[in-house]
Amino acid sequence: MIYLERPNWNEYFMEMAELVAKRATCLRRRVGAVLVKDRKVLATGYNGAPKAISHCEETGCLRTELEIPSGERHEICRGVHAEQNLVAQAAFHGVKTEGSTVYCTNQPCVICTKILINAGIKKIYYKNSYADKFAEKLLNESQVEFIKFD
């Protein structure tokens, strides 16, 4: 019998999130996210500018130019976060997000956390930590499982 080394489901979907992150156009951080339900991929998202808008790789990063620290002044960034794009893609295609799981290369920020909670996500796996204690507090108050992927 031939033994094939196969990733478990969590490894499989996290590897997909890492592949999705390679499409990101953010100059500061490349993030990918995958929305899954019943072991089926429903949507993907990566961070970058909205449709038909120039990407940071073309225009440069205003947040870097203004020396804005990570996690601050999200409103002046032209990019949309991976988790936001994930939910937007699902909505655009009429895909129900309730009860699904998100695999993300980075811990969601507080804005994305609130969106994921309201989208009915039941579980979030993330690989890289992000110093956002308020996001963690909201997740601890919610019914969303929040799991560091090692």
Side-chain angles (χ1 to χ4, degrees), residues 31-49:
V31 181
V34 177
L35 181 70
V36 175
K37 188 168 186 180
D38 299 327
R39 296 184 182 165
K40 306 270 186 301
V41 174
L42 304 178
T44 63
Y46 54 86
N47 53 335

Side-chain angles (χ1 to χ4, degrees), residues 44-60:
T44 63
Y46 54 86
N47 53 335
K51 271 192 244 185
I53 303 293
S54 298
H55 290 278
C56 298
E57 62 188 3
E58 300 164 318
T59 65

Side-chain angles (χ1 to χ4, degrees), residues 1-8 11:
M1 178 176 220
I2 298 174
Y3 174 75
L4 299 175
E5 192 171 323
R6 298 172 63 198
N8 65 40
E11 292 167 339

Side-chain angles (χ1 to χ4, degrees), residues 27-94:
L27 301 175
R28 293 174 73 153
R29 185 185 317 252
R30 298 176 85 186
V31 181
V34 177
L35 181 70
V36 175
K37 188 168 186 180
D38 299 327
R39 296 184 182 165
K40 306 270 186 301
V41 174
L42 304 178
T44 63
Y46 54 86
N47 53 335
K51 271 192 244 185
I53 303 293
S54 298
H55 290 278
C56 298
E57 62 188 3
E58 300 164 318
T59 65
C61 177
L62 181 59
R63 290 167 45 87
T64 297
E65 290 171 24
L66 297 176
E67 298 179 7
I68 296 171
S70 180
E72 295 179 16
R73 305 284 318 272
H74 293 281
E75 74 279 4
I76 66 166
C77 178
R78 71 177 35 247
V80 179
H81 287 189
E83 303 90 335
Q84 294 167 357
N85 274 326
L86 177 87
V87 173
Q89 184 185 67
F92 185 83
H93 293 288

